[in-house]
Amino acid sequence: MNEFSIAFLTTINIGSFIYFGLDKRKAVKHQHLIPETSLLIMTFFGGTIGSILGMLIFKHKTNKKSFIFKMLTVIVIQILIIYLFYNYYQ
């Protein structure tokens, strides 16, 4: 993995973690939440670790089964993409 990839993944995971924290803060203050689609997009494009840590540390969306299902779907898609990439395009 090159330096750009490491920097990108680090940045998007930190951003994703912060995004989940902000969303939790908005939920506690009864403000307009960040759309779930935005959270899932951050997760899909490499923020999986940050998203999972954000969910666990901030205890955010951990009881929402539909969101957990969507997160698991995103993770399975990521695993499939990585598998296909390494087995067919290398």
Side-chain angles (χ1 to χ4, degrees):
M1 201 182 285
N2 62 26
E3 291 177 15
F4 174 77
S5 298
I6 292 170
F8 173 78
L9 288 173
T10 301
T11 302
I12 199 157
N13 276 290
I14 291 170
S16 186
F17 179 79
I18 291 169
Y19 226 38
F20 271 82
L22 288 173
D23 196 42
K24 176 63 176 192
R25 186 174 189 195
K26 288 181 173 204
V28 169
K29 292 185 173 191
H30 304 288
Q31 296 176 344
H32 184 69
L33 299 177
I34 296 170
E36 283 187 0
T37 305
S38 298
L39 297 172
L40 292 168
I41 288 171
M42 291 280 287
T43 303
F44 181 78
F45 286 108
T48 307
I49 294 170
S51 295
I52 292 170
L53 288 175
M55 286 177 70
L56 296 174
I57 290 172
F58 299 117
K59 294 182 173 85
H60 189 50
K61 298 202 180 278
T62 54
N63 292 324
K64 194 169 182 187
K65 291 179 183 176
S66 65
F67 186 79
I68 291 174
F69 177 76
K70 292 172 191 173
M71 280 284 290
L72 290 174
T73 302
V74 166
I75 293 168
V76 168
I77 291 170
Q78 288 175 325
I79 291 169
L80 262 169
I81 290 170
I82 291 168
Y83 172 80
L84 292 172
F85 178 77
Y86 279 110
N87 285 307
Y88 297 104
Y89 295 107
Q90 232 183 349

